[in-house]
Amino acid sequence: MYKLIDGKAHSRALRQEIAEGVAQYKKNYGKDIGLAVVLIGDDGASQVYVRNKIKGCGEVGIKSYAHYLPADTTQSQAEELVGGLAADPAIHGILVQLPLPAGLDAQKILSLIPVEKDVDGFSESNIGNLCLNNNCLVACTPNGVMKMLEREGIQINGKNAVVVGRSNIVGKPMAMLLLNADATVTVCHSKTRNLKEICSSADILVAAIGRAKYITADMVKDDAVVIDVGMNRDENGKLCGDVDFENVKDKCSYITPVPGGVGPMTITMLLYNTLAAAQRSVQIG
């Protein structure tokens, strides 16, 4: 019998811990923790994500600074804004919502975010430190997966882990986190041969490829832990993950649903990273 990993419940519990940490920070240092969110353009999905991030800040006591720029914002205007936020001591974390409108150099803009304020964990320095297993700010979605595994008491040490997907945002940092936790890790992608055989050897299987119900029951080992990072629409327009949940779940020991699994943890880990960034700024300063 499988156990559902309830991302909503884990998110609520962790947000309570974050709120306590934020309150303690304010008590100790007499100032707010600040997160700046930059949204350029009018992408509908991005607007929803930004609203949810600002709402999350309010729930835990982090002060949010929202900056909305039009789609015709120039590269120099975007760089000037991010550069100003980088120098502002009231701002502990900076998030530039992606994707950016055509014509803007996202990498150049993101490179202006100081490593200590990179609460998305996307900077080259933070990625490098993750590879070296140094203390750093880690990409929110894979870090949220690790928090759920930890809070469920799922052993990672010595297990065979397979990550399907190699994106810089999820797949690669997910693989490094599992490796740092002493799993034996295989990363699969569109060019992988014998994908079914590799996946079916996994004690922990993480699906992050963006293809609806791609992971089927014959690709899953009995009693595996299955983590579904995907967010897709099925043939009926219903939200679903990369895993064929209904046909896979009874083979698993643990499995995350979509929605309600990994998704709720992503914004929570952004708040977690912002608190961590503020705490480190005091230690360094």
Side-chain angles (χ1 to χ4, degrees):
M1 180 66 181
Y2 69 91
K3 180 180 179 183
L4 206 63
I5 300 178
D6 187 345
K8 291 181 180 179
H10 285 300
S11 177
R12 283 193 300 269
L14 187 54
R15 287 195 187 197
Q16 180 58 42
E17 294 173 17
I18 294 168
E20 291 169 3
V22 171
Q24 189 63 49
Y25 178 94
K26 290 181 180 181
K27 180 180 179 180
N28 290 346
Y29 305 110
K31 56 184 178 181
D32 287 315
I33 295 175
L35 173 66
V37 182
V38 178
L39 175 61
I40 304 176
D42 51 9
D43 181 83
S46 292
Q47 291 174 344
V48 172
Y49 294 145
V50 166
R51 281 199 300 270
N52 288 337
K53 289 166 183 176
I54 291 171
K55 180 182 177 183
C57 285
E59 289 177 2
V60 301
I62 291 173
K63 188 172 183 179
S64 60
Y65 299 82
H67 297 268
Y68 301 99
L69 301 180
D72 60 358
T73 296
T74 65
Q75 183 76 22
S76 61
Q77 288 171 330
E79 290 181 12
E80 181 180 2
L81 172 60
V82 174
L85 296 172
D88 187 345
I91 302 298
H92 300 94
I94 302 171
L95 183 150
V96 177
Q97 185 65 45
L98 301 177
L100 297 181
L104 292 179
D105 186 337
Q107 190 57 45
K108 193 172 181 183
I109 293 169
L110 293 175
S111 71
L112 297 174
I113 300 174
V115 61
E116 65 272 13
K117 298 186 180 186
D118 172 35
V119 288
D120 262 334
F122 292 166
S123 73
E124 293 177 1
S125 293
N126 276 323
I127 293 169
N129 278 317
L130 175 61
C131 291
L132 294 171
N133 201 14
N134 292 334
N135 192 19
C136 62
L137 297 171
V138 179
C140 299
T141 298
N143 207 15
V145 171
M146 296 300 288
K147 281 291 180 186
M148 287 197 297
L149 293 174
E150 174 189 327
R151 296 171 82 91
E152 290 286 347
I154 295 170
Q155 182 182 338
I156 300 173
N157 180 296
K159 296 296 182 70
N160 289 326
V162 172
V163 179
V164 186
R166 55 176 170 177
S167 72
N168 293 331
I169 294 173
V170 178
K172 291 177 182 176
M174 187 78 255
M176 291 309 306
L177 285 166
L178 289 165
L179 187 62
N180 291 344
D182 296 322
T184 299
V185 182
T186 303
V187 179
C188 299
H189 46 79
S190 60
K191 303 295 190 295
T192 298
R193 298 179 181 179
N194 303 319
L195 180 62
K196 174 183 171 182
E197 289 77 8
I198 295 171
C199 289
S200 60
S201 71
D203 301 307
I204 301 171
L205 177 61
V206 181
I209 51 174
R211 297 179 64 177
K213 302 181 182 180
Y214 185 77
I215 303 296
T216 52
D218 60 347
M219 300 170 73
V220 177
K221 177 182 178 181
D222 287 342
D223 294 325
V225 175
V226 176
I227 305 295
D228 192 348
V229 183
M231 184 66 74
N232 313 290
R233 296 278 179 181
D234 66 13
E235 61 277 6
N236 299 313
K238 185 179 178 182
L239 277 176
C240 68
D242 291 348
V243 176
D244 183 3
F245 180 86
E246 289 301 323
N247 291 313
V248 167
K249 65 181 192 297
D250 289 323
K251 295 190 72 175
C252 305
S253 56
Y254 293 84
I255 188 170
T256 60
V258 176
V262 175
M265 290 295 289
T266 298
I267 293 178
T268 297
M269 295 311 297
L270 171 69
L271 306 174
Y272 178 92
N273 279 353
T274 304
L275 172 59
Q279 291 169 331
R280 290 176 191 175
S281 73
V282 173
Q283 294 165 2
I284 294 171

